[in-house]
Amino acid sequence: CNDVISMVMITTMPNRLGKSPLLEALFEVRFEPSASALGDLMPGLLYSALGKEYPNVTPLPMASIPREIRDRQVELKHQASHQLSGGPHSVMVGDRMVSLSTRAYPGWIRFKEMAQNLIRAAKATNTIKQVDRFSFKYVNVIETLPSESQLPLLDLRIEMIGRAPEERGFHLR
């Protein structure tokens, strides 16, 4: 136990990387709406609260699919119908979801603040009956030369049936 504590104390984590490997950061909240037709109102309600940060409103292809079909198809229930955007940041809005996406990661402190602002704005709409789940997703790339392996650059050990996985086609979730 003391060895583990010593190792943790010796290993220091940087506050910020010189070149961030993050291509995209995403925060999503899935919920049960307080009424079925409120998904059509949510983009406007969020725009009134977040319009200064996300001034551009774009209907997405999902907006043209009738609500009856979106409600019956499981794979469509949590898809975004509208996007509010401002620079590299955007808010996606659907009948049962809101999400924050950024393609220029501003660091955890700012991203957390942006996510909290989205949560406050969504809560203020009074259209959410119950939160079903929330999630974070980070898409990153560690660049190497084509002849180099990427997995040894990570400080982790992964084994499947006592062997390290093959590099080609390996995805970690």
Side-chain angles (χ1 to χ4, degrees):
C1 185
N2 287 336
D3 291 336
V4 173
I5 292 171
S6 297
M7 288 174 52
V8 170
M9 293 176 70
I10 292 171
T11 305
T12 58
M13 298 298 290
N15 290 329
R16 180 174 283 257
L17 298 174
K19 181 182 178 207
S20 175
L22 293 176
L23 297 180
E24 181 179 15
L26 182 94
F27 169 70
E28 180 183 69
V29 177
R30 293 184 178 186
F31 57 85
E32 186 64 38
S34 56
S36 65
L38 291 176
D40 295 330
L41 301 175
M42 184 71 100
L45 294 171
L46 286 178
Y47 184 80
S48 67
L50 302 173
K52 287 183 181 180
E53 292 176 75
Y54 310 100
N56 306 312
V57 180
T58 308
L60 300 173
M62 189 62 59
S64 64
I65 297 175
R67 169 166 314 290
E68 296 78 26
I69 295 173
R70 293 191 317 238
D71 285 343
R72 277 188 261 144
Q73 298 292 323
V74 175
E75 55 276 349
L76 301 180
K77 283 187 176 185
H78 297 104
Q79 297 297 314
S81 59
H82 292 81
Q83 177 181 30
L84 287 65
S85 61
H89 313 301
S90 62
V91 169
M92 308 291 269
V93 185
D95 298 330
R96 293 174 172 84
M97 61 76 69
V98 293
S99 69
L100 168 68
S101 175
T102 180
R103 295 195 177 273
Y105 187 64
W108 170 246
I109 293 170
R110 176 68 181 124
F111 187 72
K112 178 182 171 186
E113 178 184 297
M114 293 165 64
Q116 288 173 327
N117 287 341
L118 175 59
I119 292 168
R120 278 191 289 276
K123 185 176 178 182
T125 66
N126 294 317
T127 60
I128 298 174
K129 180 178 177 181
Q130 174 182 324
V131 171
D132 294 331
R133 95 175 208 190
F134 66 92
S135 62
F136 288 94
K137 175 183 173 184
Y138 295 92
V139 178
N140 59 46
V141 172
I142 299 173
E143 295 181 20
T144 62
L145 297 173
S147 61
E148 291 182 301
S149 294
Q150 292 177 330
L151 292 179
L153 297 175
L154 301 175
D155 188 12
L156 62 97
R157 186 173 123 198
I158 301 171
E159 289 184 358
M160 295 184 297
I161 314 171
R163 294 188 348 221
E166 292 293 324
E167 176 105 10
R168 187 173 202 83
F170 179 76
H171 295 279
L172 176 65
R173 290 183 179 260

